[in-house]
Amino acid sequence: MFLPVFIANFATAQSQTYRDSLRRIIQRNVQDSATVNTYYRYAESFPANRSDSAMHYLNQGKALARKINYHKGVAGYASLYIPHLHAKGEYKEALALTEEALAIYQQLKDEANLIKAYNNVGSEQQSLGNFKIAATNYLTALELAEKLKDNQMRRLLFNNLSSVFMSLEELPRSLEYANRGYELARQLNDKFSMASSLINVAAAEAQLGHYNEAFEKYHEVIALGKQLNDMTIILDGLLNLASIDSEKGRNNQALDLFYEARNITDTFQAPEHRMYALMGLSTTLHQMKRYQEADEFLEQTIALGKAINAGYELRITYKVAAENKEALNELGPALAFRKQYEALNDSLMSEDTRKHVMQQEIISQTAIKDKDIIEKKLLITQKEQQLQAKNKWLIIIGLIMTLLTVVAGIFFMKFRYRQKLHLQRLQTLRKEKEVQLLESFIQGEERERTRISKDLHDSVGGMLSAVKMHFSAIRQESAPLRESSAYGHAMGLLDEAVGEVRKTAHNLMPEMLTRYGLADALQIFCKNISHAQTLQISFYSTGNVKRFKPNFELSVYRIVQELVNNIIKHSRATSALVQLSQHGQLLTITVEDNGVGFDQQSGKNGMGLNSLQSRIRALNGSLEIEAATGQGTTAYIEFDTERLEVEITTEKQE
């Protein structure tokens, strides 16, 4: 048993922090080659049991690569996606991907990646039984590997060429390439490569009749597989040991090993190895004249072989199936399997044995036809009488049932459509009412903020300024007051009070928001709130942040203001980040802190957070909170601003 080796990148478990970092980069939706590679790295971070998730992000990365004409990214997708197709036995789909990658690397004249691409095309062709095409691709890749002195690829290609010549029954050449690959693996001190090459060395020696040498090497393969914890290598060793036992007539030992391999593939997804285990079981049971048991495994082997397009293995299985059916005295199926074997054998091995098939066909068909003629004459007489009586009623009943089904279907579809439409209307009305209530609440709150802001600025601020002016006049008239430090301190406190009143008034109704827009207003807000010794707030703005409708800008400002106030009140953080970014029609806001965080798993959200969620949804936005105890909190907000942007016709006021 031998399998070609393709070049692919396999997923490895990564730290949660690393995966979260990659996900944040993806969420920024920047359309460039770096994001394509981030999609691929994120897909690789998924463990083997989450293949569907990995495939989803690989497809996302490829779609972006095509969109931005990142050709190398499109080609790189193939080597990452192949393992997932192999796990499902979808070799034709894998071949199409490898050929696409090969064409791209040829255009780019990327020789290092061309070696891998030619090898991958050869591997898929070999899996589909196209050995001559596979060998041509392997030899082309080997020439490039020799040119670039790439010993790792040379070793792999020697191994793959060995398996091709094994399939073509050119055993001396197969053994030569296998030994060259094994010698290179030893020089590289690579245990996985040593095991891979040793499989083909042992397979060639077994085919040449050197069973003792092959037996020892397969035991060494299994030992290496256990050291590497690689189930594929262990399966290769078990299956080939079982084949040697079967060849030597040690059928019971062979059955035990084939069953062990089959049982492993019940939980470990390896369709080719499972097929080889089923082939071995059926062949060994046939040799033991346990034909009925062999027949069951032959059916499973043929079904799996067709599913994964294993032409070479189907050829062998059809031959055993024909012989097994003959032993069961089922001449019709035996002939059918013999024909299938001959057809595949002609295309794969270029040998013609049709004469033997034709002789069997005559014998089989004669026996079958005599029996069929007698049975059919009896059946024809009976059926003619029954059909004449039943046909009329069947037609009438069929028409009535069809008509009733159509009418019932029409009524049911109309009822479901009306019900669905009614529910949609109710949901729309409910949502519109919620939005109206929320908008009314927000507008009332803003009117109250505006009133308080004006009162603070015009009344309290004015009174404090007047007090300051009078105190200053009194000080000028009194020499002792001019020299009094306590009086000077009191004047300083009065200045601070005036500043605090002014700052509070501006926070309640930020003038900068109206004059300069969201980005500048948030920057000034963060600067005013930030305190070097207690909480340092950094603000960043990326992209071209445009002006929006006043109500929207004010609502977003209040949302950020509330998030920052929550940090001050609850987080005990020393630093925080507010980031505003616009890419196209997507406005994103990130608010992070390094505070105490909270446990999201508890499922307890405060009223403030629920209110914030409702306000953001009313603005056609989304909010995602990431938090963990002792690891800070991150709030990620997105808004679709397609209908919210406004044209600025006047210049900024200085």
Side-chain angles (χ1 to χ4, degrees), residues 18 23 27 40 72 74 97 101 137 139 243 400 467 492 580:
Y18 172 74
R23 187 161 63 87
Q27 288 174 337
Y40 292 163
K72 196 168 183 178
V74 175
L97 281 181
N137 280 279
L139 290 168
S243 297
I400 293 171
V467 170
L580 182 69

Side-chain angles (χ1 to χ4, degrees), residues 25 83 86 212 235 324 347 373 382 423 452 498 509 552 606 632 646 653:
I25 295 172
H86 272 222
N212 292 334
L235 282 170
N324 201 67
S347 63
I373 288 170
Q382 294 173 357
L423 287 173
I452 295 171
V498 172
M509 190 61 195
F552 176 75
V646 296
Q653 300 176 16

Side-chain angles (χ1 to χ4, degrees), residues 399-411:
L399 289 171
I400 293 171
M401 291 298 294
T402 302
L403 182 61
L404 288 173
T405 302
V406 171
V407 172
I410 291 171
F411 277 106

Side-chain angles (χ1 to χ4, degrees), residues 60-126:
Q60 293 274 58
K62 184 182 181 182
L64 179 56
R66 285 194 186 282
K67 184 177 180 180
I68 64 175
N69 294 319
Y70 178 35
H71 302 298
K72 196 168 183 178
V74 175
Y77 164 88
S79 62
L80 295 163
Y81 205 76
I82 285 173
H84 303 287
L85 294 175
H86 272 222
K88 299 179 179 180
E90 297 178 357
Y91 299 109
K92 288 184 178 179
E93 292 80 358
L95 176 61
L97 281 181
T98 58
E99 287 177 338
E100 180 186 16
L102 176 61
I104 291 172
Y105 287 133
Q106 285 173 335
Q107 290 177 356
L108 298 174
K109 298 181 180 179
D110 186 341
E111 291 188 336
N113 280 310
L114 271 173
I115 299 172
K116 299 174 184 177
Y118 277 117
N119 175 77
N120 287 346
V121 172
S123 297
E124 303 311 325
Q125 292 285 8
Q126 185 178 349

Side-chain angles (χ1 to χ4, degrees), residues 30 96 103 126 268 294 378 509 520 538 567 583 616 622 630:
V30 179
Q126 185 178 349
F268 178 73
L378 292 172
M509 190 61 195
D520 289 346
S538 302
I567 292 173
H583 297 285
I616 291 170
S622 64

Side-chain angles (χ1 to χ4, degrees), residues 13-202:
Q14 302 286 348
S15 71
Q16 187 62 37
T17 302
Y18 172 74
R19 296 185 71 242
D20 288 345
S21 174
L22 294 176
R23 187 161 63 87
R24 287 194 184 98
I25 295 172
I26 290 171
Q27 288 174 337
R28 290 172 186 162
N29 200 27
V30 179
Q31 299 192 352
D32 57 15
S33 60
T35 304
V36 173
N37 294 325
T38 302
Y39 271 115
Y40 292 163
R41 290 199 302 274
Y42 190 58
E44 287 182 280
S45 72
F46 285 96
N49 61 356
R50 295 191 61 190
S51 177
D52 290 342
S53 297
M55 292 168 73
H56 168 75
Y57 284 102
L58 287 173
N59 287 327
Q60 293 274 58
K62 184 182 181 182
L64 179 56
R66 285 194 186 282
K67 184 177 180 180
I68 64 175
N69 294 319
Y70 178 35
H71 302 298
K72 196 168 183 178
V74 175
Y77 164 88
S79 62
L80 295 163
Y81 205 76
I82 285 173
H84 303 287
L85 294 175
H86 272 222
K88 299 179 179 180
E90 297 178 357
Y91 299 109
K92 288 184 178 179
E93 292 80 358
L95 176 61
L97 281 181
T98 58
E99 287 177 338
E100 180 186 16
L102 176 61
I104 291 172
Y105 287 133
Q106 285 173 335
Q107 290 177 356
L108 298 174
K109 298 181 180 179
D110 186 341
E111 291 188 336
N113 280 310
L114 271 173
I115 299 172
K116 299 174 184 177
Y118 277 117
N119 175 77
N120 287 346
V121 172
S123 297
E124 303 311 325
Q125 292 285 8
Q126 185 178 349
S127 296
L128 293 168
N130 303 323
F131 302 121
K132 292 182 180 178
I133 300 175
T136 300
N137 280 279
Y138 289 149
L139 290 168
T140 304
L142 184 58
E143 289 179 12
L144 287 171
E146 297 280 3
K147 176 183 175 182
L148 299 181
K149 299 180 180 179
D150 188 339
N151 285 336
Q152 189 64 259
M153 286 303 302
R154 287 175 63 226
R155 185 220 55 89
L156 186 145
L157 289 161
F158 286 148
N159 207 44
N160 286 349
L161 283 165
S162 170
S163 66
V164 167
F165 286 118
M166 178 82 68
S167 300
L168 294 172
E169 299 181 358
E170 297 187 25
L171 303 180
R173 292 181 71 184
S174 174
L175 183 58
E176 175 192 347
Y177 277 114
N179 280 322
R180 290 171 70 182
Y182 182 62
E183 185 58 35
L184 261 179
R186 289 183 60 188
Q187 292 175 18
L188 295 167
N189 195 27
D190 183 340
K191 288 186 178 181
F192 177 84
S193 299
M194 289 169 62
S196 180
S197 297
L198 204 57
I199 290 167
N200 279 13
V201 173

